[in-house]
Amino acid sequence: MAAPDRSDRTTPPAGDGAASFTTQAADLCAFLDAAPSPYHAVQECARRLDGAGFQQVLEADEWPVGPGRRYVARGGALVAWVVGDDRHPAQGFHLVGAHTDSPNLRVKPHADTGGHGWRQVGVEVYGGALLNSWLDRDLGLSGRVTVRGRHGPEVRLVRDDRPLLRVAQLAIHLDRGVNDKGLVLDPQRHMVPLWGTGPVGVGDLVALLAERADVAPADVLAHDVMLHDLTPATVLGVDRSLLAGARIDNLLSCHAAVDAMLRTVATREEGPRPVPVICLFDHEEVGSATTTGAAGPMLATTLERIASAAGLGRDEWFRALAASICVSADGAHATHPNYAERHEPEHHVAPNAGPVLKANANARYATDAIGAARVRAAAESVGVPLQDFVSRTDMPCGSTIGPVTATRLGIDTVDVGVAQLSMHSARELCGVDDPEWFARLLSAVLHDGPVAPTT
């Protein structure tokens, strides 16, 4: 069989450079599998940062002064940064923002339900999930529980990768028009997963969570638990050019952000440069208006405490913000070959052709000409190709943490992401080369020296 023609897209370099693309894809698959919930995503990011000498800072403690690699973690959110002689907040902040949450099915507080000989678990749809993608899949449970502790409530992460649940689709014999008229799903009635047979038990779900948390059922006080697909992330395609997995939107960006930070701290710069920061928020899929979302105070408070610990006064703090830039890293829509008419005809986006600059005239993305120019310069400095995405004028555009962050901090913000298909599905798809392109771009942004904004 002849090799597939890949001449219509940018290909990674040969030799050692090509190996880095393969390594990055494999590591992304491992990251996706390690993070079935936002809380596990933060745990995995923290584990990787710990291995590079980062230290956790507790927000209720006195803020550390002096050089260091540090991070704060709160629920499903994490902010990490580096300060030192070569990286000082007086030069501003270079931020990469992403989000840890993905649309899914989340367990209700009183979850035990069922009937007609079936035991079921009550769930609520979180975010804009493609409901049909959750049908007929083997599903596990993950999240966090609060339990009684010796000195008050304690938080414990739980995860069960056994095939526990399944949302069963109605047979075609009972819905003859489904292929012609389309599948219509009522979230309340049709998305309730099965997990056993027989009479409905009271406390079954809590008993399982207690077992996972290694406590008695009576000691489980509350839970934030969700369902996750059990199919491992993988590289696929006849030419091994695609990568499929759950939660690519937006754990791919979280993975790239952490990797970019680790690449950045591996190199010491000459002279003072901006402080590199990665901020991974929760709840982007439901509007970001939470204590761990981009609309909350977590990032602004952290940056101000970094500046204050370095001795910056109020005026110097505002000057630092004026010299800063943020890349809002989130998924971008690749042009779907089966639905090409749904895309802007002059802005087709291909897999494995580099990260995507996202723009919207109504500010649903934060990109403007100044920010885009800065990102293009960073991409050119490391040989990363860029693409451009704009929605069709007659179709509404989604949004990201970009406009929220720009509004909160008043700094140049640019929306950039990796092209993908099946966004918001239980299992999404992207190109195998793009994760490495993206990590290189984000690393260049974190590395970049101060650039005075031009008006």
Side-chain angles (χ1 to χ4, degrees), residues 50-388:
D50 289 340
F54 282 74
Q55 295 182 324
Q56 183 174 3
V57 176
L58 300 180
E59 294 177 275
D61 289 352
E62 183 177 353
W63 207 256
V65 177
R69 304 176 179 183
R70 303 181 177 110
Y71 67 90
V72 295
R74 183 196 300 177
L78 178 146
V79 180
W81 69 96
V82 180
V83 290
D85 295 337
D86 59 333
R87 297 179 176 94
H88 196 278
Q91 304 300 316
F93 302 92
H94 280 201
L95 302 102
V96 171
H99 64 89
T100 60
D101 61 318
S102 301
N104 60 12
L105 305 177
R106 303 208 168 186
V107 178
K108 293 180 177 179
H110 301 291
D112 299 306
T113 187
H116 308 286
W118 302 96
R119 296 161 62 200
Q120 295 176 276
V121 173
V123 297
E124 187 174 4
V125 177
Y126 175 86
L130 277 172
L131 297 182
N132 64 293
S133 70
W134 287 86
L135 301 177
D136 299 327
R137 289 182 178 272
D138 297 335
L139 304 170
L141 285 170
S142 57
R144 66 180 180 180
V145 297
T146 51
V147 302
R148 294 183 212 278
R150 295 182 60 185
H151 305 290
E154 298 176 357
V155 176
R156 298 189 185 180
L157 299 193
V158 294
R159 174 174 184 171
D160 197 323
D161 287 329
R162 293 177 296 175
L164 296 172
L165 304 111
R166 186 179 182 90
V167 183
Q169 187 169 192
L170 186 64
I172 193 170
H173 312 78
L174 305 177
D175 189 8
R176 292 287 185 179
V178 64
N179 289 332
D180 300 323
K181 299 178 182 179
L183 178 65
V184 178
L185 295 170
D186 181 320
Q188 174 68 18
R189 294 185 296 132
H190 301 149
M191 298 306 297
V192 188
L194 309 167
W195 83 327
T197 59
V200 176
V202 178
D204 286 355
L205 188 279
V206 169
L208 184 142
L209 297 180
E211 177 188 342
R212 296 288 103 182
D214 194 25
V215 297
D219 290 331
V220 175
L221 302 175
H223 58 79
D224 296 313
V225 177
M226 58 209 70
L227 279 56
H228 63 269
D229 178 35
L230 295 178
T231 309
T234 188
V235 172
L236 72 155
V238 68
D239 56 356
R240 308 285 289 168
S241 65
L242 299 172
L243 189 153
R247 303 172 297 280
I248 287 176
D249 175 19
N250 190 31
L251 291 187
L252 184 155
S253 297
C254 295
H255 175 262
V258 172
D259 190 69
M261 176 63 87
L262 299 183
R263 298 183 193 204
T264 298
V265 300
T267 304
R268 183 175 177 82
E269 304 290 352
E270 292 296 329
R273 300 173 73 83
V275 172
V277 181
I278 60 171
C279 38
L280 313 179
F281 299 108
D282 200 355
H283 302 126
E284 188 273 346
E285 299 292 357
V286 292
S288 296
T290 67
T291 59
T292 51
M298 183 177 180
L299 176 59
T301 300
T302 301
L303 295 182
E304 190 166 3
R305 294 180 80 176
I306 295 169
S308 177
L312 270 62
R314 193 67 174 163
D315 184 66
E316 292 172 304
W317 159 243
F318 288 117
R319 288 164 59 189
L321 291 181
S324 300
I325 185 173
C326 175
V327 168
S328 166
D330 206 342
H333 295 292
T335 300
H336 198 304
N338 297 344
Y339 302 90
E341 72 281 359
R342 302 294 182 95
H343 301 271
E344 166 58 37
E346 304 305 323
H347 293 78
H348 284 174
V349 173
N352 294 320
V356 184
L357 270 171
K358 302 187 291 183
N360 178 256
N362 295 300
R364 297 290 288 169
Y365 300 132
T367 308
D368 63 10
I370 295 173
R374 295 178 69 174
V375 170
R376 287 192 189 280
E380 290 173 1
S381 72
V382 289
V384 172
L386 286 179
Q387 306 182 79
D388 291 283

